Amino acid sequence: MIPTPRQAYELLQEYNQGEFHLKHGRIVGDVMRWFAQELGYGEEADFWQAVGILHDLDFERWPEGHCVKSQELMREKGLDESIIRATASHGWGATASDIVPEHQMEKVLFAVDELTGLIGAAALMRPSKSVQDMELKSLKKKFKDKKFAAGCSRDIIQQGAELLGWDLSELMERTLKAMQASENVD
């Protein structure tokens, strides 16, 4: 079974209660949907969004088994292997998951997961507390400051851009636009 975005969010809520994780799932889902449409995969937008929503399904309860436990949980729920693989691929090189992002959608997820966190943290530092008035120049400055949002891996963000064949500025600009279009970003 491939869940709709709504079903994906309901499943996320089964294993996550913290507002941070629920919001992050919604935001990454929105960003993935935006990229699906932007990159010519509009007919797969619901799938891309569901993958974004579910990518951290296991993180709140099983951080040490992240991207491995989620595969077990999704199989128990009868989810299609394509969504299981896609969500687990975002942990390549950072978790016990050895699934390499291959499909364009998997590469986008790998690239934007950490970056959405960095953008969200940068927005909180702005007087407006919003991404709506954030400029690329400001985001780049925060990216270069290794002490700022230190939990967001710059190496993974850079590696994600390389996987996509984009330079870092292009990835940042597109992800910022996607977040500005999200209904779930304050």
Side-chain angles (χ1 to χ4, degrees), residues 120-148:
L124 292 175
M125 302 302 294
R126 301 183 62 72
S128 67
K129 307 276 190 236
S130 174
V131 299
Q132 297 306 324
D133 60 351
M134 186 182 296
E135 295 178 0
L136 181 59
K137 182 174 117 178
S138 173
L139 177 58
K140 285 181 174 182
K141 185 176 178 183
K142 293 296 187 189
F143 181 86
K144 288 179 185 174
D145 179 359
K146 304 293 188 214
K147 291 179 184 174
F148 177 77

